[in-house]
Amino acid sequence: MTGVYLEGRSWLHRLPAWVKLVCLAVMSMLLFPVTDLTLLAGALAGTLSIYASLGRSALAALTALRPVFFLLVCLLLFHLVLGSLATGLVMLLRLVCLVLLASIVSLTTRLDDMIDALAPVLRPAELVGLSRRRLALAIALVLRFAPQLAAAGGQLGAAYRARTGRRGGLRLVAPLALQALNTADHVAEAIAARGGVDPRPVDPAPLTRRPM
């Protein structure tokens, strides 16, 4: 999923967050058993038509998914080497559809709305002393920032190849981890500035001692 929210008033923006999440879960369950290339190609065409209905900005946001698509192509080549091209194509089309559908949810759903939609599902976590809003925030942040970290990894790899002509490999783990920690610090500061995950209401009345 992309980590970018696109401002807009499309039909998908107006759709409640929980409806989009449920539809995403249902589509995931429906697509995984499918092995027919024609059906998967039709699903991909339908997914791309949804992007087209959101305008050029949504199509431009697909560039953030290039590292994911590169990985999927590598998996396809791996299946080709093993002599199972048909299986690789099925895997590729299925995963591309799921990634694009998940990105649509991220592009058209605000982070606060996603947290509000996830919080009721995580209510049982309170039985063991966990905050459902904290868990919902953690899940929403993963959905938002995992693609950004993947894109950062792709940029680090491209920069390393440009300097050395070789693949970065494990050498990129440390700088990518530093970027992840830096992003986490900024996010934590932003959350703290807004009052935290579970802000407590503050009594506006001044705490003055009444005369005896």
Side-chain angles (χ1 to χ4, degrees):
M1 297 173 69
T2 62
V4 180
Y5 171 75
L6 294 180
E7 295 287 347
R9 298 179 60 85
S10 68
W11 62 278
L12 268 176
H13 285 83
R14 296 192 300 268
L15 205 63
W18 69 270
V19 174
K20 287 181 279 190
L21 291 173
V22 169
C23 290
L24 177 61
V26 171
M27 288 301 301
S28 300
M29 291 186 291
L30 291 177
L31 283 176
F32 262 109
V34 176
T35 57
D36 186 87
L37 289 175
T38 303
L39 292 177
L40 291 173
L44 178 59
T47 303
L48 292 175
S49 66
I50 296 177
Y51 273 87
S53 69
L54 298 177
R56 294 183 179 179
S57 57
L59 293 174
L62 291 176
T63 57
L65 297 172
R66 282 182 296 184
V68 179
F69 292 147
F70 175 75
L71 175 61
L72 294 178
V73 171
C74 291
L75 291 176
L76 176 63
L77 294 177
F78 177 75
H79 281 83
L80 180 61
V81 171
L82 295 180
S84 56
L85 179 60
T87 303
L89 288 174
V90 169
M91 177 274 304
L92 179 67
L93 289 175
R94 182 189 297 142
L95 290 181
V96 168
C97 285
L98 293 176
V99 168
L100 292 179
L101 288 172
S103 297
I104 289 175
V105 176
S106 180
L107 288 171
T108 59
T109 309
R110 296 182 183 274
L111 185 59
D112 292 341
D113 295 335
M114 194 173 296
I115 293 174
D116 292 338
L118 291 172
V121 182
L122 301 173
R123 189 186 299 272
E126 295 181 343
L127 299 177
V128 293
L130 298 177
S131 171
R132 55 175 173 164
R133 285 196 62 83
R134 291 178 184 271
L135 290 175
L137 176 62
I139 296 173
L141 289 178
V142 169
L143 296 178
R144 287 293 191 194
F145 291 104
Q148 290 189 358
L149 292 177
Q155 292 174 358
L156 288 173
Y160 188 85
R161 284 194 299 269
R163 291 195 304 269
T164 64
R166 296 174 297 176
R167 291 173 177 252
L170 295 177
R171 300 179 183 88
L172 302 180
V173 172
L176 183 60
L178 290 176
Q179 285 200 17
L181 292 174
N182 187 42
T183 301
D185 286 339
H186 287 301
V187 172
E189 291 175 358
I191 293 174
R194 296 179 58 184
V197 180
D198 299 308
R200 297 180 179 178
V202 179
D203 187 1
L207 298 178
T208 57
R209 182 174 298 179
R210 295 182 180 179
M212 299 297 294

